[in-house]
Amino acid sequence: MPFIDDVLTYKSLSIVGLEKNTGKTECLNYVLGRLKDMDKRIALTSIGIDGESRDIVTNTQKPEIRIYKGMIFISAEKHYLQRRITSEILDVSNIYTSLGRLVIAKAISSDKVLLSGPPDTHCLKAIIAEMNRYNVDLTIVDGALSRLSLASPAVTEGMVLATGAAYSANIPELVRKTKYVVDLINLPEVEPELKRKLDFVESGIFAVDAESNLHDLKVQSVFMLEKAKDKIFSYGNRLFVAGATSNNLFEFLRMQKNVANIELIVKDFTKIFATPDVYYSFVKKGGKVRVATKTKLAAVCINPTSPQGYRLSSDELKAAMQDALQMPVYDVKKLK
């Protein structure tokens, strides 16, 4: 069973689509279908609403989420009360959403469900931690939109990436756009000693010296770096930005005379909001980017069709994607 063994090495897993209708739910149903007969306790939730039978934006049919007897699912009260599945309530959380409190339940039968999980990543982390009470082996989080934040290693241990014709109906462009995200996911991690220090830093911009000591630059945001450039490199060429990084930061660093020696460190890949052209311009001039914590990518899945009616060649797309990413790529519909 392709990539299922990898999935089972994690305690939590996010399934993220680069765009709506890129095959995320098909991928989720493939994973759940393969896990149902294993001696593992599985929990499932979503950030936002997912599992609708129809896409409200494109008004096209969508695959629904199917869960199996014994699996735990978490959904808001409104959608829990609309379920078709027979289930047993294990708890009602004190986490509130616009659709009511979150209900934690165990499926007594197998059927389709509509999920509306935690409203943000903070609540999502709390729910994942809560699953330890029920001896859950793997908690799967389905992202309702193209939100990469839930794939942060601070939220889930591993991720599956779904991409497809809905993101671009042109194979070379689709491959380029997907490769950029995968390149960010695969950014190398800093050395363990420095990682331990960075794990406790939640905000600010710091210089990192040769002994991996942090020096607070007292710069409030990346937009103020230009005014502080005299002290930015006074401790060396390594810079740690705890928050989001944008085109402005990469452009600023690319313009420095010592760009080939500069190393930018970010918390994880979800903190990078630079466009591909700006990011690669920095890298091509010798600039280096590393992360405090690396995301573990379990698989890349493709959906060759789009709701607009475009249908790419699955085999051609898979071959081009694998060649660019240098890793196995799956069309889960062909695995059934």
Side-chain angles (χ1 to χ4, degrees):
M1 286 184 284
F3 74 83
I4 296 301
D5 288 342
D6 288 339
V7 163
L8 286 172
T9 62
Y10 307 121
K11 286 287 288 181
S12 57
L13 178 84
S14 60
I15 298 182
V16 178
L18 287 179
E19 184 59 86
K20 287 175 70 67
N21 302 301
T22 50
K24 177 172 53 62
T25 304
E26 288 281 4
C27 183
L28 172 64
N29 282 336
Y30 166 79
V31 172
L32 294 176
R34 294 302 183 276
L35 293 175
K36 67 181 171 60
D37 297 323
M38 296 185 174
D39 186 24
K40 300 289 181 183
R41 176 157 282 192
I42 307 300
L44 174 66
T45 190
S46 167
I47 191 160
I49 301 172
D50 210 5
E52 313 100 312
S53 60
R54 209 157 185 86
D55 189 309
I56 59 173
V57 176
T58 60
N59 195 31
T60 53
Q61 199 75 24
K62 284 186 61 182
E64 296 175 81
I65 297 172
R66 183 177 181 83
I67 65 170
Y68 299 89
K69 182 180 178 181
M71 291 183 177
I72 292 174
F73 63 100
I74 300 100
S75 192
E77 287 173 295
K78 178 179 178 179
H79 290 144
Y80 181 78
L81 294 172
Q82 295 173 354
R83 74 198 185 285
R84 288 173 284 179
I85 197 168
T86 304
S87 59
E88 170 193 357
I89 293 179
L90 301 176
D91 196 9
V92 179
S93 168
N94 57 7
I95 296 175
Y96 282 80
T97 75
S98 59
L99 301 174
R101 293 172 296 177
L102 293 179
V103 178
I104 302 171
K106 184 172 79 172
I108 304 298
S109 63
S110 302
D111 210 328
K112 296 166 183 172
V113 293
L114 179 60
L115 294 177
S116 49
D120 54 49
T121 53
H122 175 76
C123 294
L124 180 59
K125 288 168 67 175
I127 284 293
I128 291 173
E130 181 78 2
M131 291 303 100
N132 289 328
R133 281 180 57 196
Y134 306 104
N135 297 316
V136 167
D137 295 295
L138 171 65
T139 301
I140 300 175
V141 182
D142 191 30
L145 294 172
S146 55
R147 295 173 63 168
L148 289 173
S149 60
L150 64 93
S152 164
V155 183
T156 50
E157 289 183 4
M159 74 174 289
V160 171
L161 185 67
T163 185
Y167 194 37
S168 173
N170 176 282
I171 289 180
E173 183 183 355
L174 176 58
V175 170
R176 276 196 304 272
K177 293 169 78 171
T178 304
K179 184 177 185 302
Y180 174 56
V181 178
V182 173
D183 281 351
L184 298 186
I185 292 170
N186 288 331
L187 284 170
E189 198 170 83
V190 297
E191 60 272 21
E193 181 188 352
L194 178 56
K195 173 180 165 54
R196 283 192 289 274
K197 296 176 180 177
L198 299 181
D199 283 345
F200 295 99
V201 182
E202 296 298 330
S203 62
I205 300 174
F206 296 79
V208 182
D209 67 23
E211 283 74 43
S212 297
N213 296 310
L214 302 182
H215 302 269
D216 191 348
L217 295 174
K218 307 294 184 186
V219 178
Q220 297 304 311
S221 80
V222 295
F223 300 103
M224 301 176 71
L225 276 176
E226 182 68 30
K227 295 180 180 177
K229 63 181 182 181
D230 290 343
K231 63 179 181 180
I232 287 175
F233 301 112
S234 55
Y235 299 96
N237 297 312
R238 303 177 87 187
L239 192 67
F240 171 63
V241 178
T245 58
S246 63
N247 278 353
N248 286 21
L249 174 64
F250 281 91
E251 288 281 24
F252 168 77
L253 296 178
R254 186 179 66 84
M255 298 301 290
Q256 304 307 305
K257 291 180 180 177
N258 60 338
V259 58
N261 297 317
I262 292 176
E263 180 177 297
L264 173 64
I265 304 168
V266 297
K267 273 276 188 184
D268 60 64
F269 87 98
T270 67
K271 300 296 185 185
I272 298 176
F273 291 90
T275 54
D277 56 331
V278 172
Y279 170 82
Y280 287 126
S281 292
F282 171 68
V283 172
K284 284 176 182 174
K285 289 194 75 173
K288 300 170 186 63
V289 185
R290 300 174 79 184
V291 292
T293 306
K294 183 176 179 177
T295 295
K296 295 159 184 166
L297 181 61
V300 174
C301 297
I302 54 170
N303 177 8
T305 63
S306 78
Q308 291 77 26
Y310 297 108
R311 182 178 294 274
L312 305 175
S313 163
S314 174
D315 292 340
E316 187 180 340
L317 174 59
K318 179 181 173 181
M321 199 69 80
Q322 287 187 155
D323 184 56
L325 306 185
Q326 292 295 295
M327 64 180 291
V329 172
Y330 305 97
D331 180 348
V332 293
K333 280 192 171 182
K334 290 199 165 188
L335 298 176
K336 293 178 179 176

